[in-house]
Amino acid sequence: MDANQPSPRLKQLNDQQLSAFCAAISERLLPNYALFSQVAEFGNTQTLRTALDKIWDRLCNRCGAVNFETQMEKVDAVVPDPEDFDMYGVYPALDTCVALITTLNQMVEASHQDARQTSQLSLQGIETYLELIADAELSDEQLVRFINTHELIEQELEFQESLIDQLLQKASPDAATLDKIRTQAANDGVSNIGISLD
C-alpha cells in the first residue's frame, strides 16, 4: 500500500504555494466532516467553513490580517474524539480537522513536512475507507492491488499532481488561479472518499 506516497515535487513549493496546497486538500475533505456532523449531531461544519474561507481570502489578498491562532482554537473546539463515537465516519471527520488545523498553521509558518503529512492524510484516509469496503475474502496481496488500482486513489493522486502543476506555474499564485484550484478541490461537494451531503 506504500505506492501511494505524497509527491516528491512538494519540495519545490514556496510558502504561499504550500499553504494553498493544504487549503485545497482541506477543501476536498470538508464534506466528510459535514456528513459526520449531520449524522452524529456533533460539532459545527460552519466553524470549519469559516476558517477555510478566511484562509482562501487571505491567500487571494481579499482581506486584511487574519488571526489564524483564534481560528485554530475555534476548529479545535469542534474536533471529534473517535473514542466517543461508534462509527467509521468519525475518522474522516477527524482527518478533516487535522488537515484544516495544519493549513491554519501553514498560514503562520509554512512547512514542507506539514504539506507532506496533509497529502498523506488524504491518501491514507482513502486507503482506510477502501479496506473497510473491500471484500473480506481478499488475500493481503489482492487487497493491496484493490487499493492501489482503485479509482478513488487514482483520482486523489491525479488531483494532487494537478494541484502542484497549477501552483508551480507562478511563484505567487494569483486570485484567479487560486479560485480555480478552490473550485476544483470543492469537486461539486464530493469528498476524497466519494461522499457528499446530497
Side-chain angles (χ1 to χ4, degrees):
M1 277 168 243
D2 294 321
N4 309 315
Q5 291 294 323
S7 172
R9 294 194 304 147
L10 279 171
K11 290 195 186 89
Q12 297 171 31
L13 301 182
N14 64 29
D15 288 4
Q16 191 190 2
Q17 292 165 337
L18 286 169
S19 298
F21 177 86
C22 291
I25 300 278
S26 299
E27 189 73 54
R28 195 166 168 84
L29 295 179
L30 194 61
N32 294 336
Y33 184 94
L35 185 64
F36 165 76
S37 177
Q38 192 178 64
V39 172
E41 295 181 349
F42 169 88
N44 187 338
T45 304
Q46 192 52 50
T47 300
L48 274 65
R49 178 71 272 164
T50 300
L52 198 44
D53 287 347
K54 285 181 187 292
I55 290 167
W56 287 118
D57 284 347
R58 191 72 212 93
L59 285 168
C60 293
N61 285 322
R62 290 197 178 112
C63 64
V66 175
N67 187 329
F68 291 112
E69 279 91 351
T70 302
Q71 291 304 314
M72 270 183 238
E73 285 166 19
K74 288 180 178 176
V75 173
D76 209 34
V78 294
V79 176
D81 181 346
E83 305 221 330
D84 294 342
F85 300 92
D86 187 20
M87 61 170 86
Y88 157 75
V90 68
Y91 296 101
L94 177 62
D95 286 350
T96 308
C97 294
V98 172
L100 183 52
I101 289 168
T102 304
T103 307
L104 288 162
N105 257 318
Q106 291 280 60
M107 298 298 288
V108 178
E109 188 177 357
S111 126
H112 287 95
Q113 183 59 32
D114 283 352
R116 231 188 109 72
Q117 284 172 345
T118 305
S119 163
Q120 189 82 60
L121 185 77
S122 186
L123 287 162
Q124 279 173 345
I126 299 169
E127 288 181 6
T128 305
Y129 171 69
L130 293 175
E131 279 173 29
L132 189 77
I133 64 164
D135 187 334
E137 303 296 309
L138 294 182
S139 68
D140 287 353
E141 198 177 306
Q142 287 170 322
L143 179 62
V144 169
R145 193 177 308 120
F146 170 73
I147 289 171
N148 289 344
T149 59
H150 198 281
E151 63 176 352
L152 286 175
I153 284 285
E154 288 175 354
Q155 283 165 4
E156 182 65 19
L157 290 168
E158 207 175 287
F159 165 69
Q160 292 194 17
E161 286 299 332
S162 157
L163 201 49
I164 295 169
D165 284 341
Q166 292 176 76
L167 290 168
L168 283 173
Q169 283 171 11
K170 290 179 183 154
S172 185
D174 57 27
T177 302
L178 291 167
D179 284 340
K180 187 178 160 202
I181 284 172
R182 182 180 184 173
T183 302
Q184 199 180 336
N187 196 27
D188 293 326
V190 179
S191 79
N192 64 331
I193 55 174
I195 67 162
S196 73
L197 272 179
D198 305 328

